[in-house]
Amino acid sequence: MHDRILILDFGSQVTQLIARRVREASVYCEVHPCDVTDDFIREEQTKGLKGIILSGSHASSYEDGSMKAPQAVFEAGVPVLGICYGMQTMAAQLGGKVTYSDHREFGYAEVRAHGHTKLLEGIEDHRTPEGHGMLKVWMSHGDQVTSLPPGFKVMASTPSCPIAGIADEERGYYAVQFHPEVTHTVQGMAMLARFVHEICGCGTDWNMPDYVEEAIEKIRAQVGSDDVILGLSGGVDSSVAAALIHRAIGDQLTCVFVDHGLLRLDEGKQVMQTFAENMGVKIIHVDATEQFMSKLHGVTDPEAKRKIIGREFVEVFQDQASKLKSAKWLAQGTIYPDVIESAGAKTGKAVTIKSHHNVGGLPDTLKLSLLEPLRELFKDEVRKLGVALGLPPAMVYRHPFPGPGLGVRILGEVKKEYADLLRRADAIFIEELRNTVDAATGKSWYDLTSQAFAVFLPVKSVGVMGDGRTYDYVVALRAVETSDFMTAGWAELPYSLLGKVSGRIINEVRGINRVVYDVSSKPPATIEWE
């Protein structure tokens, strides 16, 4: 049994970051809606519960019907850390007071630490001439604690927020008004690691190499001698799920790989080589290019294209699954962010970010039980697990690729001619990103960017090649840098790299005579064009 931290979500858009930071400290944690029952908290105590973290929120703790932590949180006998709203509800529920503030704080702030509490002692970014330890943090609040609960003391403050951190060390209660989970809080990881290790007493027993055997035993116990079918897309999640399940049950797994004609250059061949030839996984390879292209004929609306691609994938997969009479389980690459974002709170006060329906929402007529071996893992953990299972790092760490594939990177109508041109242009761009090393960091520009790809524009422009006039298509290059994909900046690639990519595409891909570079940030643009 792993030591575990329970994170109660009050609807913050960055609650996942709290969980990721705790996992990065090699501690297992789970996120649950804030309105779980007292019995749920008591049941957690039987599973190795070592501490509880209360997240931030968009709400105000003094409003009628405001969200509160279950009373059992403060009766569980484990340390509790409140963050932003979590601090406010902790203060209000334990006898303090929270009010609207005339001095709101959104963004960078410097916090002065007080009192040498265990959470902050020795953690600082710099000292003032008077000897006060200061922390560079990220604030996001319009309310503030104005009266301390009995037994608490102030452990942090700013000029506009006199009570920016509180602690009752006898009971193990700590709370901060700022957000230690975001990267803008420089010492945030140190604070969270201090809380889970030194205050809660958690060990470091959560890591992917050790998790492999645990996951394998869990799959074997769940599936037994039954057969499993998995829709293999070639993406990271489905690939790691396939490798893990195959390690657990071998030939009881059959993968269905549907090539919709919208994959990257040689991607189908790479998937088959990796899984069928090198790992011995049973794969049914379905080339459905003509089926998808015929259904997409004449369709230009991005959402309509997405729905058609999703629907056709389901039809092809269902057709193949119906032929595997022995299959009792449907495996999916659902990961933990999907689970968190779809959960929400029963009260409806915490925000459900979005619903997830993996594999396009497969119909009940399949009559298969669901197997989701990655549903406890974040994306970075899935990647580490993939490496531990022996998948090639180049596959595990490659950039994200949308489910509809090149269908949303070809603007307007999708045609096989366009897809073939785009595939080759995109491959050249990615190849040069991999081959070009940044002198300052020693890393390739592929590793320095979070996502990079080419987009096909269904317009023609005039060009000159040799002594002749050309009238050919245009592609746009897109490369972004981001830590969370919620916001992104365009990557400032070297001009020499862009020039080389442009030259190669125009010279090597007959039918393209102009290359442009997208310098839009997200927001207001999105990362993908459609």
Side-chain angles (χ1 to χ4, degrees), residues 437-450:
V437 175
D438 174 55
T441 63
K443 295 182 178 180
S444 76
W445 274 101
Y446 184 86
D447 292 330
L448 290 173
T449 54
S450 306

Side-chain angles (χ1 to χ4, degrees), residues 351-374:
V351 175
T352 298
I353 299 173
K354 56 185 174 183
S355 297
H356 290 264
H357 304 283
N358 289 69
V359 199
L362 291 169
D364 294 335
T365 53
L366 279 176
K367 300 189 184 309
L368 299 173
S369 300
L370 201 57
L371 176 64
E372 298 175 314
L374 309 181

Side-chain angles (χ1 to χ4, degrees), residues 450-504:
S450 306
Q451 193 168 356
F453 52 91
V455 178
F456 182 87
L457 308 184
V459 296
K460 289 187 173 183
S461 71
V462 174
V464 178
M465 300 185 77
D467 294 323
R469 173 187 184 273
T470 61
Y471 189 55
D472 288 324
Y473 291 108
V474 181
V475 293
L477 306 180
R478 178 76 159 141
V480 299
E481 297 172 342
T482 177
S483 59
D484 54 17
F485 289 89
M486 296 173 69
T487 62
W490 61 277
E492 297 184 27
L493 301 180
Y495 291 155
S496 57
L497 170 57
L498 290 171
K500 186 174 184 180
V501 172
S502 175
R504 281 195 60 192

